[in-house]
Amino acid sequence: MRWRTIPLCYCFLLVTCLLAALQAVPIDIDKTKVQNTEPVESAKIEPPDTGLYYDEYLKQVIDVLETDKHFREKLQKADIEEIKSGKLSKELDLVSHHVRTKLDELKRQEVGRLRMLIKAKLDSFQDMGMDHQALLKQFDHLNHMNPDKFESTDLDMLIKAATKDLEQYDKTRHEEFKKYEMMKEHERREYLKTLDEEKRKEEESKFEEMKRKHENHPKVNHPGSKDQLKEVWEETDGLDPNDFDPKTFFKLHDVNSDGFLDEQELEALFTKELEKVYDAQNEEDDMVEMEEERLRMREHVMNEVDTNKDRLVTLEEFLKATEKKEFLEPDSWETLDQQQLFTEEELKEYENIIAFQENELKKKADELQKQKEELQRQHDQLEAQKQEYHQAVQQMEQRKLQQGIAPSGPTGEQKLEPHV
């Protein structure tokens, strides 16, 4: 099985992707009762963008390493901690010459790309005196001290950087969503300030009505609970709810048959629940909020089911989760509209940050305007001096003509008329 058959979702750990791809064993499944029985062509599944600034380099390194038989065999026997610790990276010394040569080439290309980015950044600030080698230190996914050779240190750094960065990805998404919500409220309040009292009351009333409409939705099942999964089994898979079987359900939704439910496959299970709350056609429903809700559901299920915290759910982990009381009798699930996304203090702090940024931008704009006006003044001054010079030259030429002296050439030499 090729590694690329495992969707490298934006929040996958690189080490998880490596292990999952090699240790996955296809599981036979009787799908005779399933409505949609068309086979999934997993080989055509392309890994999504991880969101990392070195995403392309990461994928290319994985593609090259997967071609080496020795490295694949070692990886099959390694556990996640061995990969994270860098122990597996030592095996890079034993890969074939062809693979090493290709990795060297990839690294040179990546270093060249980073240098171009640095140069473009320095050019924009008109600062060409800085050391490119020093600036390369800010990139921790490769060894900048040896830009021509891909060594075990480079693989170790790439794995650790991807692990760290991808682990922070969900946290960053939550933070960005919170800023999004605060900006929405900030803009709403700023707009209300521009209205007269009557219009303001109308807008407030409309806002409250939209909130009520959005909150008026069917009950959302607890993500990962029996009720939630049975609903997918019945409405999405078209199967008899009385025949619900967790093992069959797992195999059915292991879309690429790799023996795991990855984060992308898990998120697909929540579509029916999200459709109860969000509709792109409704003005009161925000699709950005829907994706945040999807992320919350996936994180919750992972926390409950993924016991070894490798961000993949095995069949064993899934079946154990179905034996818990929480699976049969879950607590009610609170959707985003039932939660306070930020406090007034947080909103005030955010507005202060916005005001500061706007003030800094205004200062910069004023400074640029002054620079523009100064440059225009200098330009006008030079034009005036140029005009005065031309006028002085013309007056001198006229005097010479009046005195019978030959006019000057472009460089000041006298033009002598030829004798006839």
Side-chain angles (χ1 to χ4, degrees):
M1 182 179 297
R2 292 180 59 78
W3 293 1
R4 67 184 63 191
T5 63
I6 307 302
L8 183 58
C9 200
Y10 44 75
C11 45
F12 273 12
L13 299 179
L14 172 63
V15 293
T16 297
C17 293
L18 295 174
L19 277 180
L22 293 173
Q23 295 178 342
V25 178
I27 303 174
D28 292 333
I29 172 175
D30 180 8
K31 297 183 179 180
T32 57
K33 296 184 179 182
V34 184
Q35 291 180 340
N36 299 320
T37 57
E38 296 182 6
V40 176
E41 299 182 27
S42 58
K44 294 184 179 180
I45 298 177
E46 290 296 328
D49 193 321
T50 62
L52 304 176
Y53 66 87
Y54 49 91
D55 173 77
E56 188 63 26
Y57 175 63
L58 172 65
K59 292 176 182 175
Q60 289 173 341
V61 169
I62 292 176
D63 283 343
V64 172
L65 285 174
E66 74 172 341
T67 64
D68 188 86
K69 182 180 179 181
H70 170 79
F71 194 86
R72 288 173 63 87
E73 290 175 350
K74 289 294 182 180
L75 188 58
Q76 283 181 312
K77 300 175 182 178
D79 58 30
I80 288 179
E81 290 307 317
E82 287 179 315
I83 298 175
K84 284 184 177 181
S85 67
K87 182 178 179 180
L88 185 68
S89 300
K90 307 302 181 187
E91 298 296 330
L92 187 67
D93 295 332
L94 303 177
V95 301
S96 68
H97 175 73
H98 171 73
V99 170
R100 289 299 295 267
T101 301
K102 185 61 179 175
L103 291 172
D104 291 345
E105 180 185 347
L106 288 177
K107 183 178 178 181
R108 286 193 293 269
Q109 292 174 355
E110 178 70 357
V111 171
R113 182 184 74 89
L114 297 177
R115 283 174 171 165
M116 287 181 62
L117 291 175
I118 291 171
K119 183 179 184 300
K121 183 176 181 180
L122 293 180
D123 286 346
S124 67
F125 287 98
Q126 298 181 346
D127 184 1
M128 298 301 295
M130 297 186 70
D131 181 9
H132 279 230
Q133 192 71 10
L135 289 172
L136 276 173
K137 293 180 180 179
Q138 65 185 294
F139 303 111
D140 59 358
H141 65 288
L142 50 72
N143 178 18
H144 62 89
M145 297 302 294
N146 185 357
D148 298 316
K149 294 290 185 181
F150 189 99
E151 302 169 317
S152 59
T153 304
D154 291 289
L155 181 57
D156 186 34
M157 293 178 70
L158 182 60
I159 291 175
K160 289 180 178 179
T163 299
K164 178 189 67 175
D165 294 341
L166 292 171
E167 284 178 337
Q168 292 297 314
Y169 194 82
D170 283 350
K171 181 180 178 181
T172 301
R173 281 184 62 186
H174 287 309
E175 292 173 351
E176 291 302 316
F177 173 74
K178 187 173 183 178
K179 290 178 183 178
Y180 168 79
E181 288 292 322
M182 289 191 291
M183 178 59 78
K184 275 203 323 183
E185 180 61 16
H186 168 72
E187 291 178 344
R188 186 185 75 85
R189 295 185 183 187
E190 290 299 305
Y191 173 66
L192 290 176
K193 293 177 183 179
T194 66
L195 305 177
D196 58 37
E197 185 176 356
E198 182 179 354
K199 289 287 185 182
R200 188 163 53 252
K201 288 181 179 180
E202 290 179 5
E203 284 296 321
E204 289 282 18
S205 177
K206 179 181 177 182
F207 176 72
E208 293 299 326
E209 176 61 23
M210 289 178 62
K211 281 181 60 178
R212 285 193 293 271
K213 288 176 65 177
H214 174 69
E215 293 169 359
N216 185 24
H217 55 73
K219 176 190 174 184
V220 175
N221 289 314
H222 194 99
S225 67
K226 184 175 182 179
D227 288 341
Q228 190 258 313
L229 300 185
K230 281 186 68 175
E231 192 169 275
V232 174
W233 173 276
E234 180 179 7
E235 298 187 15
T236 302
D237 303 330
L239 299 175
D240 188 336
N242 296 321
D243 294 334
F244 176 75
D245 175 62
K247 185 174 183 180
T248 303
F249 183 92
F250 179 95
K251 295 176 181 179
L252 185 60
H253 291 276
D254 175 17
V255 179
N256 57 5
S257 300
D258 64 359
F260 299 89
L261 290 183
D262 58 42
E263 296 180 339
Q264 197 174 41
E265 290 166 335
L266 276 179
E267 289 186 355
L269 300 179
F270 310 134
T271 299
K272 296 298 296 184
E273 298 305 317
L274 295 169
E275 288 176 349
K276 296 177 181 178
V277 186
Y278 300 95
D279 185 341
Q281 304 301 317
N282 294 339
E283 182 183 5
E284 66 271 13
D285 296 337
D286 188 333
M287 294 300 103
V288 175
E289 294 178 356
M290 182 184 76
E291 292 308 314
E292 173 70 8
E293 191 74 77
R294 189 191 304 273
L295 174 59
R296 291 178 63 243
M297 289 180 171
R298 185 252 293 164
E299 286 183 323
H300 172 75
V301 172
M302 276 294 185
N303 288 333
E304 293 291 319
V305 181
D306 180 25
T307 55
N308 66 353
K309 305 305 176 185
D310 64 355
R311 301 173 81 96
L312 292 170
V313 176
T314 64
L315 176 60
E316 181 182 3
E317 288 174 328
F318 184 79
L319 294 179
K320 283 185 178 180
T322 62
E323 298 171 358
K324 296 179 180 179
K325 179 181 179 182
E326 292 81 1
F327 179 72
L328 300 174
E329 303 175 12
D331 297 330
S332 60
W333 177 256
E334 291 189 354
T335 53
L336 285 173
D337 52 68
Q338 297 173 292
Q339 298 187 8
Q340 183 180 19
L341 301 179
F342 53 85
T343 64
E344 280 297 320
E345 291 76 13
E346 289 174 324
L347 178 59
K348 184 65 176 177
E349 182 180 354
Y350 183 66
E351 289 178 326
N352 289 337
I353 293 174
I354 294 175
F356 174 78
Q357 292 174 340
E358 290 177 345
N359 187 51
E360 290 298 305
L361 287 174
K362 185 177 183 303
K363 287 181 180 179
K364 187 66 175 178
D366 292 342
E367 181 182 340
L368 290 174
Q369 181 62 30
K370 289 179 181 178
Q371 292 177 3
K372 178 183 177 181
E373 292 172 355
E374 176 61 21
L375 289 173
Q376 185 64 47
R377 186 190 67 78
Q378 294 177 8
H379 173 75
D380 294 343
Q381 188 177 29
L382 289 173
E383 286 295 318
Q385 292 174 354
K386 181 179 177 181
Q387 186 66 25
E388 290 176 1
Y389 171 75
H390 284 305
Q391 290 175 356
V393 171
Q394 289 175 354
Q395 291 174 0
M396 289 176 62
E397 294 299 324
Q398 289 176 359
R399 292 194 193 100
K400 289 179 181 180
L401 288 174
Q402 292 171 358
Q403 296 173 6
I405 303 174
S408 301
T411 58
E413 76 278 5
Q414 287 189 336
K415 290 183 179 179
L416 299 178
E417 297 294 334
H419 293 289
V420 180

